[in-house]
């Protein structure tokens, strides 16, 4: 007897990932906040946590935009699990700039709104610097 599987069963084992790419420009922040809110609401995050997600996206994206190179693209991925959303934002940034300044007010805001924050820099195939900020926010985390 042959076994069969549908494409749907393969998708059931993975968490949905949404990727959004926008110009690294402050005018695009409202788009990022709106998409983040829509994703969080669709996955039953409470309204306080949705607001925390929007604020965290705004702060992280602003940090990357301020350090981005001309005509850079800001990439934002959202991975939603049963109880949390993992968000990664990345953009080409100027060499030597830092998106993580632990004593800044913005860094304090990110730490208070999220369960975890990570910052990394790497070089792509062309030798350009790519900075990434990772955020993890759990359902109901606004109650902390």
């Amino acid at each position: 007897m042959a076994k069969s599987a549908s494409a749907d069963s393969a998708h059931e084992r993975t968490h949905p990932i949404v990727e959004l790419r926008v110009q690294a420009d402050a005018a695009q922040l409202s788009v990022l906040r709106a998409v983040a809110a829509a994703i969080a609401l669709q996955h039953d995050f409470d309204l306080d946590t949705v607001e925390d997600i929007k604020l965290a996206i705004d702060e992280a994206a602003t940090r990357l935009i301020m350090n981005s190179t001309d005509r850079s693209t800001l990439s934002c991925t959202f991975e939603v699990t049963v109880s949390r959303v993992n968000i990664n934002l990345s953009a080409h940034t100027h060499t030597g700039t830092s998106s993580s300044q632990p004593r800044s007010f913005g860094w304090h805001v990110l730490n208070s709104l999220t369960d975890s924050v990570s910052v990394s820099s790497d070089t792509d195939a062309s030798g350009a610097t790519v900075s990434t900020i990772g955020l993890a926010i759990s359902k109901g985390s606004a109650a902390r």
Side-chain angles (χ1 to χ4, degrees):
M1 178 179 264
K3 291 185 178 181
S4 66
S6 70
D8 292 334
S9 65
H11 291 292
E12 290 173 8
R13 286 181 249 131
T14 62
H15 302 292
I17 297 176
V18 174
E19 181 174 2
L20 175 65
R21 293 174 189 235
V22 296
Q23 183 178 0
D25 186 289
Q28 299 300 316
L29 291 173
S30 61
V31 173
L32 291 172
R33 286 190 303 264
V35 170
I39 290 169
L41 288 169
Q42 180 183 18
H43 289 89
D44 298 324
F45 281 74
D46 62 81
L47 293 178
D48 288 336
T49 304
V50 171
E51 289 302 314
D52 285 356
I53 291 169
K54 288 168 46 180
L55 286 170
I57 287 277
D58 194 70
E59 182 61 36
T62 298
R63 287 173 165 275
L64 290 172
I65 289 167
M66 288 174 49
N67 295 317
S68 68
T69 58
D70 291 339
R71 293 187 224 132
S72 182
T73 298
L74 177 66
S75 175
C76 184
T77 60
F78 302 86
E79 179 183 17
V80 182
T81 66
V82 174
S83 62
R84 82 183 316 155
V85 61
N86 298 308
I87 304 164
N88 286 303
L89 299 102
S90 62
H92 284 98
T93 55
H94 297 286
T95 304
T97 60
S98 175
S99 297
S100 67
Q101 298 168 346
R103 294 183 178 227
S104 72
F105 178 73
W107 189 253
H108 176 71
V109 169
L110 278 175
N111 279 315
S112 65
L113 293 172
T114 63
D115 296 322
S116 67
V117 180
S118 64
V119 179
S120 63
S121 290
D122 203 359
T123 53
D124 65 8
S126 68
T129 301
V130 178
S131 296
T132 302
I133 299 177
L135 312 171
I137 304 172
S138 298
K139 282 186 178 180
S141 63
R144 39 171 183 256

